[in-house]
Amino acid sequence: MICLLAAQLHQLDQRSMMHGISTIELMGNAAKGIYEVMRDKHLMKRVMIICGAGNNGGDGLALAALYHESFEQVRVLYVAKQAPISEAARYYYKLCENQNLLIHGGADVVRHLQQDYDVIIDGLFGIGLSRDVDEPYASVIEAVNRSPQTILAIDLPSGINSDDGKVKGSAVKADLTVTFVASKPGHWLYPGYLYSKEVLVKEIGIPRSWIEAVCPALHVIDEADLKKLLPIRHSHSHKGSYGKLLGIGGSQEMTGAILMAGEAAIRSGCGMCTLAVPEHMQPSVPLYLPEFMSIGLPQEGMTISKAAAQYLQPRLAAYDVIFCGCGGGRSDSYTDLVRIVLDSKMACVIDGDGIYALQYLREELLMRDQIVVTPHVKEMTYLIDQSIDEIIEDPLHAADCFCERYPNAVLVLKSERPLIAYKQERYLCAWGNHALAKGGSGDVLCGLIASFIGQGLDPFHAAILGCGIHAYTAHLIIQDCNARSVLPHEISAYLKYSFTSLETG
Ligand SMILES: NC(=O)C1=CN([C@@H]2O[C@H](COP(=O)(O)OP(=O)(O)OC[C@H]3O[C@@H](n4cnc5c(N)ncnc54)[C@H](O)[C@@H]3O)[C@@H](O)[C@H]2O)[C@@H](O)CC1
Ligand SMILES: Nc1ncnc2c1ncn2[C@@H]1O[C@H](COP(=O)(O)OP(=O)(O)O)[C@@H](O)[C@H]1O
Ligand SMILES: [K+]
């Protein structure tokens, strides 16, 4: 699903006008779209529509006029101090005025919300919100949020910034948002997504070809994307057809990470998986899964030694994809291992401690393609010159910085809404839930991405599919068991159900 910026939507609006599609017509179509949703969701009840002076309010006024044709019980609470700004919104205002549908909000505006309505429709602000919400709007928004009725937002919950999801002062908490033309980044980014429980997109008469010609600011991964990307399995195939993977990691303190990554890789369809671990860990590898092969890396005491990189380097060429970082530890010896992986030019996924090592290998990373880097926000600070707060505040900007600095690398910026970035493309995954908020979930993700590269996807699409399957599985698994209790390796065990659901659904 694509997301467009407010400026891109305004350009489409302008283009429509130049081609004789009037704003009155677009507004009328927007109203019809909301009407259809209300009908489908059984919301044709007593309705109050709250309207501001912009075209978002215009959509609300058009809806009131349309709704009134079939149902008596609709009122418009017109909150703005001035008349509607655009000619189109004034047109629908007049219709509502003629039908006596308007209530004008004065000092006691909130009182009107305490009347008997079943549904409140929020048409205060949409993509035109340009500053923090103040009075009387803030009080109206608070009253809406206190009310027990179903809340349907037109285009965006009022108070949410369309392009980045920030709350401008205060914002409506909608049960449902009906948006037009395309979704907006503000529906999906934090904290905006908390204000839009469900988002439905409606066409309003702008030609599809114009919309498709716009470069989207963001894609939200949907089931169709996963189905399209899932590598095909052929009967005329063998283990070599689906990728030979090498995972490099594990340490005395973090034995499990590389095992969990390897398990995810095998359970998502890779052909063979070898784990290179410190010698002392090697016996535990086949005990975890007998399908694993292993390499014991030379160690000094209980950690890998300087000799490990030299030992492994000539062996790398035997594999198709390398994943590293998972529990590898933070040492010069491990940094040397990451260096030989970068120097090898082989397709790779770098996670966890591998990303820690990358802060000393930024020049090598600059030269690389065929690479996916999967930092969480703290690890992202090792790669770009931004603080954790800056990255959380504006993850799209952080992703832009990464892509400018490392133009051929794929980024997976992990959070509850992971962001996948490569060159100009930005994808977001919205299925995940707190079942994944547990040490080890990132290792599972790393194994998935490596596995999909092994099965023939390029690193960018492997990252999209890996993040998608990871979160989609978390979404399915909590229908069977409580999210608190899900273990990361159980996500791997559950993959069989998510693949079946995608293959047969
Ligand atoms: N192509 C499209 O996407 C279409 C969009 N339409 C609707 O038009 C909306 C955009 O309309 P507008 O651009 O008129 O903008 P909005 O209706 O979103 O509201 C902005 C208006 O409120 C004022 N304003 C902004 N921030 C404010 C604040 N904090 N406090 C008080 N006033 C504030 C602005 O000066 C402007 O007049 C969309 O969200 C959508 O609902 C539809 O009418 C049809 C076509
Ligand atoms: N609350 C959440 N909702 C959705 N996904 C989450 C949540 N918390 C964590 N995740 C996902 O779980 C993974 C955690 O990775 P990471 O922090 O690297 O953990 P670890 O290295 O311990 O495995 C990431 O893919 C992240 O997107
Ligand atoms: K709104």
Side-chain angles (χ1 to χ4, degrees), residues 300-477:
E300 229 172 56
M302 292 306 277
T303 55
I304 52 164
S305 72
K306 277 297 217 184
Q310 213 180 354
Y311 178 78
L312 196 59
Q313 191 181 30
R315 292 170 168 77
L316 296 182
Y319 301 92
D320 301 313
V321 189
I322 301 174
F323 57 97
C324 56
C326 317
R330 297 180 172 186
S331 65
D332 289 349
S333 302
Y334 197 72
T335 302
D336 289 345
L337 284 176
V338 179
R339 182 181 286 111
I340 61 159
V341 172
L342 294 184
D343 289 348
S344 74
K345 309 281 180 232
M346 293 173 62
C348 61
V349 184
I350 314 278
D351 186 41
D353 291 336
I355 300 169
Y356 181 84
L358 284 180
Q359 66 188 307
Y360 308 110
L361 300 167
R362 282 186 177 192
E363 290 303 312
E364 286 84 345
L365 180 56
L366 270 176
M367 312 302 292
R368 278 302 312 254
D369 59 5
Q370 296 294 305
I371 185 169
V372 182
V373 186
T374 58
H376 53 55
V377 286
K378 166 82 173 130
E379 289 161 350
M380 186 71 167
T381 63
Y382 304 144
L383 302 168
I384 60 168
D385 301 320
Q386 283 189 16
S387 65
I388 292 179
D389 287 347
E390 285 169 329
I391 294 164
I392 292 173
E393 177 70 17
D394 195 348
L396 280 174
H397 178 60
D400 290 345
C401 292
F402 177 95
C403 291
E404 267 166 40
R405 178 168 293 186
Y406 311 107
N408 298 312
V410 177
L411 169 74
V412 174
L413 178 55
K414 290 186 293 197
S415 71
E416 78 273 23
R417 297 264 153 137
L419 200 56
I420 302 111
Y422 177 57
K423 298 193 184 288
Q424 309 304 320
E425 304 250 33
R426 306 286 178 266
Y427 277 71
L428 177 139
C429 181
W431 281 299
N433 57 60
H434 56 87
L436 293 176
K438 219 165 251 182
S441 299
D443 305 307
V444 171
L445 176 66
C446 175
L448 286 171
I449 298 172
S451 171
F452 293 131
I453 299 176
Q455 292 173 69
L457 294 190
D458 63 80
F460 176 51
H461 289 102
I464 294 171
L465 183 61
C467 287
I469 294 285
H470 189 237
Y472 182 74
T473 307
H475 165 71
L476 292 187
I477 202 169

Side-chain angles (χ1 to χ4, degrees), residues 21-38:
I21 308 171
S22 72
T23 309
I24 290 185
E25 196 180 333
L26 294 178
M27 238 172 227
N29 290 340
K32 280 184 203 145
I34 306 166
Y35 187 91
E36 282 166 17
V37 171
M38 292 176 71

